[in-house]
Amino acid sequence: MNSSTRSTGFGGLGGSTSARPPANTTLSSLLAQANSLNEVDYDSELPQIRFGIDDIERMSEAVAGRGKRGRNEKGEGFNLLSNLGVNTSQLTHNIAQLPNAPEPSTKPRRRRQPQQTRLEPLGDIGPSYGIGDGDIGAWGRNWHEMVILGGIEVQRQRTISSFQKQFQQRILQNWELEKARVLQDELGVTDEEIAGIVGSSNGGLAGSVLGKSALGASTRRFPMAQSQLGKSTSESREGGLVMHTKMVRYERVIGELNQRRLRKEPFELCQALEETVKGDSKHPLLPASYHILAHLTHEPSLRDSADYASSSAEPSYAPGEPVQERQYAAAYLGDQRSNHAALLRGRLVAGGRRFLERDFERHVDETIAKNPKEAALGGVPGIKNKIRAFVDVTLRSKESRDAYRPETVNGSLLWAQLYYLVRCGYIDEALTLIAENQQHISRDDWTFPGAFKTVLSSGERRLPKSQRDQLYNDFNAHIRNNPNVDQFKYALYKLIGRFELNRKSAKVASTTEDWMWLQLSLVRESQKDSDSPQEQYDLVDLGKLVLKFGHDKFDSNGTKPLSWFNLLLFTAQFEKAIAYLYSKPQLKTDAVHFAIALAYYGLLRVPSKGEEAELLITDEADVPYLNFPRLIKQYISPFFRLEPQTALQYAYLVALSSDSPNPAIGQRQKQLGLELVRDIVLSSRSWSKLLGSVRSDGTKETGIIENDLKLLKLVDEQDYLKQVVLSAAEQSSLDSSLIDSIELYHLAGSYDKVVENVNRSLGQSLGRSSSSQDINSNTENTIGLSGAFGGTNDIYTLALKVHDVYERDFAKRTKVSKLHWDTLEVLLKLKLGLRQFEENRPDLALETFKSTQLLPLDADSSSKSKYAQNFRDILDQPVISNLDEIIITTMKCLHLLSQSLKNSPYGDHSRLIQLNLLKHQSQCLIQFASTLRLRLGSDVYRQLSSMSELGCFWGWGILIS
């Protein structure tokens, strides 16, 4: 070590002082001295040794070596770079500009301990590493690590930001859906009003007329007749009239449907709905959509019609065999891998294909009618002649012949005629035509006639493997890559052999209808194991293909919503079809009735809960469900109060899904239907018409709903009383509509509940004057009761009538608990006493109060506790809020009677006796009130104290004390 360096002193340690070590001091002696320091006590003021001798030697050598390199700045590397043409001066300058680079200096300088510096990190990502002066490698490694950590931090921040943004969007999306549900279900706001609320600048709901029922309070029968701004225009009035006419027609069909359901008769619902929309100039495709659904469901009149082509390849039906209610529910809602589900999909495919075939035949007739000269048909032609004429018309131009390259066989365009016969569904005629020309077909196509007959005669349209391989060889050799091939022949080979399923189009299928027919002809519903992977193509695969195209391809500008809707029907995506159609405001009414038709036939999946705000719900397996109860609820909300009978016809339809294979879903749908009926009943307040009534003599008048128990899937009358009437009564009671619940409970046969509600009404009325209790003048009870309790105009008269009816009928009386019956009699007496007092008969009122056995007016001190207990018992009942008014009125009666006696001009002995009796009764009442200090209001004691100050009676000090 340098001799000029001062050694560290350890003065004060053991009383010794530090001294400069001799020059020949070695590291060994320093080590010995350092080891001796361990034997002394620790002193916090002394520095600590952090490095050992080996560490110090190694560090010293490193410092010495770096100092030598520093003095020899222009070393071998400098010379090597100079010889290679590198500008070493510029390089030295650049190195000097690097962070922590040593300043260039030619003068010798004293070596110093290298300072530990820190590189600033990129953001708050933790500490950096210490770097020595001029250590470029360490600096580079540190910089590289900082870049990596910085990139990680940036990505972390982006991830957090993306998550927060998506979370916020999801929260807002759920809130908008829930807000719309609350506005529609709880407040009765229509979709148009919601759009106006969202789009208005002032916001809020102040301008909306909102109701209180679960269905809403909108009483507009025709919501389309009013604009969103509240200003009626001629266009909106016209639209409302058209919508009204359509809705009335729909309602007639739904009413007829329910009548048929009650009689258990089949009903061709789709065709009935089609008749209601015929002539719709605004949506001309609407009748065709209903016609498609009628074909999909195989309604008998279509299936058995004379012009409906038959084929042995399609499922056979007995003539006139009806399609029953919910006939397809088990297969459609059950396991989709079952044979029943596959058979149903095959039936749907056949129905859709037949509609397209009948539609194309109409197109053939129209084309021939427009071109009679070119067709040259004449006479009463058969289908083969019509197809021949159609081919002559459509392929007469050079452009069409160049495009399709039709091949002439035996002087006719055989392949074109054959294709169009199959396209129209005339399979037998096609087989006859090819048999007639089989000998004229070229050798390259000799295998086709046999394959054609085999496929069209097979139920599954399947070729044997050997025959298919032979046909496939001919297809590859002469058809597949032949640019001059007849396109009709190409399409027929593709149909018969189901070749090239990865290319599911043909040149002759140029329209949407032709393309869909081709797809429905190619799909095959069979077990997955029976076909090779390249041959598997069923209705589910077709549905995925259609969804892949998207509605923009078929309804890009929103002017053809029914085109996309029809494609979804063809591919059996019924829930998505209804949801899409319902999203179009002008077609919402039609979407509801399409959903009704699907639900009637069992082709609609409903969710398990039915309380979701969304109309279309998709589960984890990507299976769609339509919230059918919510759809019906929104549809009837504008008119259910004005026309409850019509609304009930729609509410009955919710219970259609009660036969779901999942018992929980079926029970929930039944319950939702009953709740909807209950809400309609409560909102309309038409008890006697909807639920019926019970007259005072015990005879019963049947209501509308009781006649339709089968539509609600109810077993008998008792089930109806429990599920509908009693449920409505309980809901009415929860809504504090006590007067309404009394009649409903009586109709349901829950007589104990009737008396309980009467007691509650009487108990609440004890503190009010009788003038404010008139039912007709009370805004809460604007409707009088009917049946056994009809003709009443106040609560007291109603309670008397209930008491009289039940007292005369022993069967009803025995169903009322003793507690409620005794309470009713006590409350009637109390109410009578209050009415007598208001009629200025305090003497009668006092006697009536005494008859209740609640007030100890004539009792001795030993029996006062008994009266107090009776008073507490009746106060403990929830039907009575308080009896303060009774005590005050009783004291007022005593006061008036006392003043009357004092002011009497006669002073006989009997008057004094009567005054003493009144005084005694007042004392008893005061003492009784003092024992009920926590049961009575403070106003009672204030009024009693006020009477005491007037000196009406003696003994008020008891109360004051």
Side-chain angles (χ1 to χ4, degrees):
M1 297 179 61
N2 194 337
S3 61
S4 63
T5 303
R6 297 182 61 88
S7 65
T8 305
F10 301 95
L13 181 61
S16 64
T17 60
S18 61
R20 182 187 300 272
N24 58 354
T25 300
T26 63
L27 293 176
S28 299
S29 61
L30 291 177
L31 176 61
Q33 293 180 12
N35 292 333
S36 64
L37 295 177
N38 296 328
E39 301 176 358
V40 299
D41 295 336
Y42 173 75
D43 191 346
S44 59
E45 296 181 356
L46 295 178
Q48 301 298 314
I49 297 177
R50 296 185 298 171
F51 302 104
I53 298 302
D54 296 335
D55 296 332
I56 295 175
E57 287 181 349
R58 186 167 53 255
M59 294 171 62
S60 300
E61 292 175 355
V63 171
R66 188 169 58 187
K68 293 178 180 179
R69 289 194 301 270
R71 287 192 296 268
N72 188 15
E73 293 179 358
K74 297 182 180 180
E76 296 178 359
F78 185 87
N79 297 330
L80 177 61
L81 293 175
S82 298
N83 295 333
L84 294 175
V86 177
N87 189 347
T88 54
S89 301
Q90 183 64 31
L91 181 61
T92 303
H93 177 73
N94 293 340
I95 293 175
Q97 299 300 321
L98 292 174
N100 300 321
E103 298 180 359
S105 175
T106 57
K107 296 181 180 180
R109 57 193 178 99
R110 181 181 178 181
R111 293 195 306 271
R112 291 180 296 183
Q113 186 71 18
Q115 297 180 356
Q116 299 293 325
T117 60
R118 295 171 65 89
L119 182 65
E120 292 297 329
L122 299 177
D124 187 13
I125 55 176
S128 58
Y129 302 97
I131 301 174
D133 292 341
D135 194 346
I136 304 299
W139 175 85
R141 289 190 299 273
N142 188 29
W143 182 262
H144 181 258
E145 292 177 1
M146 292 300 103
V147 170
I148 295 176
L149 293 176
I152 295 174
E153 176 65 16
V154 171
Q155 189 62 33
R156 187 179 72 88
Q157 294 294 341
R158 289 178 179 175
T159 303
I160 293 175
S161 177
S162 176
F163 169 76
Q164 292 176 347
K165 184 177 180 181
Q166 293 179 3
F167 179 77
Q168 188 73 10
Q169 290 177 350
R170 186 63 181 269
I171 288 293
L172 292 177
Q173 179 184 6
N174 293 342
W175 162 240
E176 291 298 330
L177 292 173
E178 187 66 18
K179 181 173 66 174
R181 186 192 67 80
V182 171
L183 289 175
Q184 291 177 342
D185 293 355
E186 306 298 337
L187 301 178
V189 183
T190 63
D191 294 331
E192 290 76 15
E193 289 175 333
I194 291 179
I197 292 171
V198 174
S200 60
S201 59
N202 52 7
L205 302 176
S208 300
V209 181
L210 306 179
K212 297 181 180 179
S213 94
L215 282 172
S218 176
T219 58
R220 294 178 306 187
R221 183 62 180 85
F222 321 116
M224 293 294 292
Q226 184 175 354
S227 65
Q228 295 180 2
L229 299 177
K231 297 180 180 180
S232 179
T233 62
S234 59
E235 182 179 356
S236 64
R237 286 194 297 270
E238 182 181 357
L241 182 60
V242 172
M243 182 61 65
H244 161 59
T245 305
K246 179 186 288 189
M247 292 175 70
V248 170
R249 291 177 179 174
Y250 274 139
E251 290 163 6
R252 293 172 184 168
V253 175
I254 299 304
E256 177 65 19
L257 169 66
N258 286 327
Q259 292 302 315
R260 293 287 190 94
R261 292 175 60 203
L262 286 174
R263 298 193 298 265
K264 294 185 177 181
E265 298 177 359
F267 185 56
E268 296 184 342
L269 179 57
C270 295
Q271 294 183 73
L273 294 173
E274 179 186 353
E275 291 296 326
T276 64
V277 296
K278 279 187 175 179
D280 191 335
S281 58
K282 191 173 184 181
H283 303 289
L285 290 179
L286 197 55
S289 298
Y290 279 117
H291 206 62
I292 291 172
L293 195 55
H295 277 272
L296 293 176
T297 55
H298 293 261
E299 292 188 347
S301 62
L302 288 178
R303 190 181 64 227
D304 302 332
S305 60
D307 62 340
Y308 203 91
S310 61
S311 171
S312 59
E314 305 300 345
S316 60
Y317 301 89
E321 179 185 353
V323 180
Q324 302 293 341
E325 173 186 337
R326 305 288 293 175
Q327 178 165 329
Y328 307 119
Y332 186 76
L333 304 177
D335 186 6
Q336 296 303 297
R337 296 169 296 182
S338 64
N339 291 331
H340 291 290
L343 289 175
L344 173 61
R345 291 192 294 270
R347 178 174 290 191
L348 295 174
V349 168
R353 188 169 62 242
R354 286 191 170 185
F355 169 81
L356 293 170
E357 290 167 356
R358 299 283 67 72
D359 184 67
F360 188 78
E361 186 178 358
R362 285 189 292 271
H363 170 66
V364 169
D365 294 335
E366 292 173 358
T367 303
I368 294 175
K370 291 179 181 179
N371 303 274
K373 184 177 180 180
E374 292 82 356
L377 191 57
V380 183
I383 185 61
K384 290 197 295 184
N385 286 331
K386 285 201 298 184
I387 293 299
R388 189 265 314 156
F390 176 77
V391 170
D392 291 342
V393 171
T394 55
L395 298 179
R396 69 179 184 272
S397 64
K398 184 178 183 301
E399 292 79 5
S400 60
R401 288 181 175 270
D402 292 341
Y404 299 113
R405 301 183 184 277
E407 179 182 337
T408 302
V409 177
N410 194 22
S412 64
L413 302 178
L414 175 64
W415 300 106
Q417 295 180 24
L418 197 63
Y419 172 80
Y420 283 126
L421 281 173
V422 176
R423 177 68 178 85
C424 291
Y426 290 93
I427 305 302
D428 295 337
E429 288 76 3
L431 291 174
T432 303
L433 179 63
I434 197 170
E436 293 173 352
N437 295 273
Q438 184 172 0
Q439 59 183 354
H440 302 289
I441 296 176
S442 65
R443 295 184 58 183
D444 296 339
D445 302 318
W446 277 4
T447 58
F448 181 81
F452 186 75
K453 182 177 181 180
T454 302
V455 168
L456 297 184
S457 302
S458 169
E460 294 185 356
R461 293 198 171 190
R462 184 187 298 272
L463 276 175
K465 186 178 185 303
S466 59
Q467 197 172 9
R468 185 180 186 278
D469 292 342
Q470 189 176 4
L471 185 66
Y472 187 62
N473 292 333
D474 292 343
F475 176 76
N476 282 335
H478 310 292
I479 306 295
R480 185 174 188 175
N481 299 317
N482 185 359
N484 297 320
V485 69
D486 186 336
Q487 293 298 318
F488 296 100
K489 183 197 293 188
Y490 174 84
L492 287 171
Y493 268 85
K494 193 176 184 68
L495 284 173
I496 299 304
R498 298 179 79 246
F499 301 139
E500 295 183 319
L501 289 181
N502 57 334
R503 298 172 57 189
K504 302 178 180 66
S505 60
K507 196 170 184 179
V508 295
S510 56
T511 65
T512 302
E513 291 78 7
D514 291 336
W515 180 84
M516 179 53 66
W517 177 84
L518 179 63
Q519 305 311 307
L520 294 177
S521 300
L522 290 174
V523 298
R524 177 190 294 163
E525 293 297 332
S526 59
Q527 298 297 329
K528 292 289 185 181
D529 299 337
S530 61
D531 290 330
S532 60
Q534 64 270 18
E535 295 181 11
Q536 293 177 3
Y537 183 47
D538 56 14
L539 190 60
V540 177
D541 299 326
L542 175 58
K544 294 178 181 178
L545 178 62
V546 171
L547 290 178
K548 184 178 180 181
F549 288 133
H551 65 86
D552 291 337
K553 183 177 181 61
F554 303 94
D555 184 25
S556 57
N557 53 1
T559 58
K560 298 180 180 179
L562 290 171
S563 298
W564 175 249
F565 174 76
N566 292 342
L567 289 179
L568 294 177
L569 289 182
F570 282 127
T571 55
Q573 301 182 85
F574 303 121
E575 296 80 11
K576 294 180 180 179
I578 299 300
Y580 176 78
L581 197 64
Y582 194 77
S583 65
K584 307 299 179 181
Q586 69 275 18
L587 291 171
K588 284 189 174 183
T589 300
D590 306 293
V592 172
H593 291 85
F594 273 108
I596 291 173
L598 290 168
Y600 173 72
Y601 287 115
L603 296 173
L604 197 67
R605 296 186 183 92
V606 293
S608 57
K609 295 182 179 180
E611 300 173 352
E612 295 84 352
E614 301 88 347
L615 184 64
L616 183 65
I617 304 164
T618 305
D619 62 6
E620 297 178 354
D622 201 26
V623 177
Y625 297 86
L626 187 75
N627 198 339
F628 184 65
R630 177 171 174 78
L631 194 73
I632 297 296
K633 196 173 185 179
Q634 290 181 356
Y635 178 73
I636 66 175
S637 60
F639 61 87
F640 74 101
R641 298 186 68 180
L642 292 179
E643 301 179 22
Q645 298 181 52
T646 302
L648 282 175
Q649 298 300 317
Y650 284 92
Y652 294 155
L653 301 172
V654 176
L656 278 171
S657 301
S658 61
D659 62 347
S660 173
N662 187 339
I665 296 179
Q667 184 62 29
R668 181 55 184 162
Q669 294 300 308
K670 176 182 175 181
Q671 189 63 34
L672 288 173
L674 293 173
E675 291 177 2
L676 190 55
V677 170
R678 180 200 65 193
D679 292 341
I680 294 173
V681 170
L682 291 177
S683 301
S684 65
R685 305 174 68 88
S686 302
W687 317 131
S688 58
K689 181 186 296 185
L690 301 181
L691 299 177
S693 61
V694 179
R695 302 182 182 92
S696 57
D697 58 357
T699 58
K700 185 176 180 181
E701 181 181 353
T702 305
I704 295 175
I705 299 177
E706 192 171 355
N707 295 326
D708 301 333
L709 297 185
K710 295 180 181 178
L711 301 181
L712 292 172
K713 309 300 180 182
L714 298 177
V715 179
D716 50 19
E717 182 182 357
Q718 294 300 322
D719 196 14
Y720 157 71
L721 293 177
K722 178 181 178 182
Q723 298 288 346
V724 178
V725 184
L726 187 59
S727 176
E730 291 174 350
Q731 184 63 39
S732 178
S733 180
L734 291 175
D735 295 340
S736 300
S737 302
L738 298 179
I739 302 300
D740 297 340
S741 63
I742 288 172
E743 184 173 8
L744 292 173
Y745 276 125
H746 178 72
L747 186 61
S750 183
Y751 306 119
D752 189 55
K753 283 287 188 179
V754 173
V755 176
E756 181 183 356
N757 280 347
V758 169
N759 291 343
R760 183 178 288 108
S761 300
L762 280 176
Q764 293 176 357
S765 67
L766 290 178
R768 302 193 301 263
S769 62
S770 60
S771 61
S772 64
Q773 297 164 17
D774 190 347
I775 294 181
N776 294 328
S777 64
N778 193 345
T779 57
E780 181 185 3
N781 306 302
T782 57
I783 183 171
L785 299 181
S786 60
F789 306 141
T792 58
N793 58 356
D794 58 37
I795 298 174
Y796 176 67
T797 308
L798 172 63
L800 281 177
K801 202 149 196 175
V802 171
H803 184 272
D804 294 342
V805 170
Y806 290 177
E807 194 173 32
R808 290 195 305 266
D809 193 330
F810 181 75
K812 294 183 176 65
R813 170 67 180 81
T814 55
K815 294 182 179 180
V816 181
S817 65
K818 185 178 185 302
L819 176 63
H820 290 161
W821 186 259
D822 293 342
T823 303
L824 174 61
E825 292 183 334
V826 170
L827 290 175
L828 284 174
K829 292 178 181 180
L830 294 177
K831 194 67 178 177
L832 177 60
L834 292 175
R835 293 169 71 93
Q836 290 172 342
F837 178 78
E838 292 178 356
E839 295 172 356
N840 295 323
R841 293 302 305 271
D843 53 337
L844 296 179
L846 186 61
E847 292 300 323
T848 303
F849 289 146
K850 290 166 64 176
S851 66
T852 61
Q853 300 297 318
L854 292 178
L855 303 176
L857 298 180
D858 295 327
D860 54 9
S861 59
S862 60
S863 61
K864 289 180 181 178
S865 60
K866 177 182 177 182
Y867 282 92
Q869 184 61 39
N870 294 338
F871 200 89
R872 292 189 186 96
D873 290 342
I874 197 169
L875 275 179
D876 288 338
Q877 297 188 42
V879 298
I880 301 174
S881 57
N882 63 76
L883 294 175
D884 298 356
E885 188 68 21
I886 303 302
I887 294 181
I888 296 297
T889 305
T890 304
M891 186 61 73
K892 289 180 180 179
C893 291
L894 293 172
H895 170 69
L896 292 176
L897 292 175
S898 174
Q899 292 296 325
S900 176
L901 289 175
K902 288 181 179 180
N903 296 331
S904 176
Y906 305 101
D908 54 355
H909 181 68
S910 61
R911 188 184 69 164
L912 294 176
I913 296 176
Q914 191 66 24
L915 280 173
N916 290 331
L917 178 62
L918 294 175
K919 183 197 308 182
H920 174 71
Q921 290 177 349
S922 65
Q923 291 175 351
C924 291
L925 185 61
I926 292 170
Q927 293 175 2
F928 178 74
S930 65
T931 62
L932 300 171
R933 186 177 297 272
L934 298 179
R935 296 298 186 99
L936 302 177
S938 59
D939 188 61
V940 176
Y941 302 105
R942 183 187 61 79
Q943 295 190 47
L944 292 179
S945 299
S946 176
M947 293 182 184
S948 174
E949 293 175 358
L950 294 176
C952 299
F953 304 104
W954 299 340
W956 294 99
I958 299 175
L959 179 64
I960 304 302
S961 61

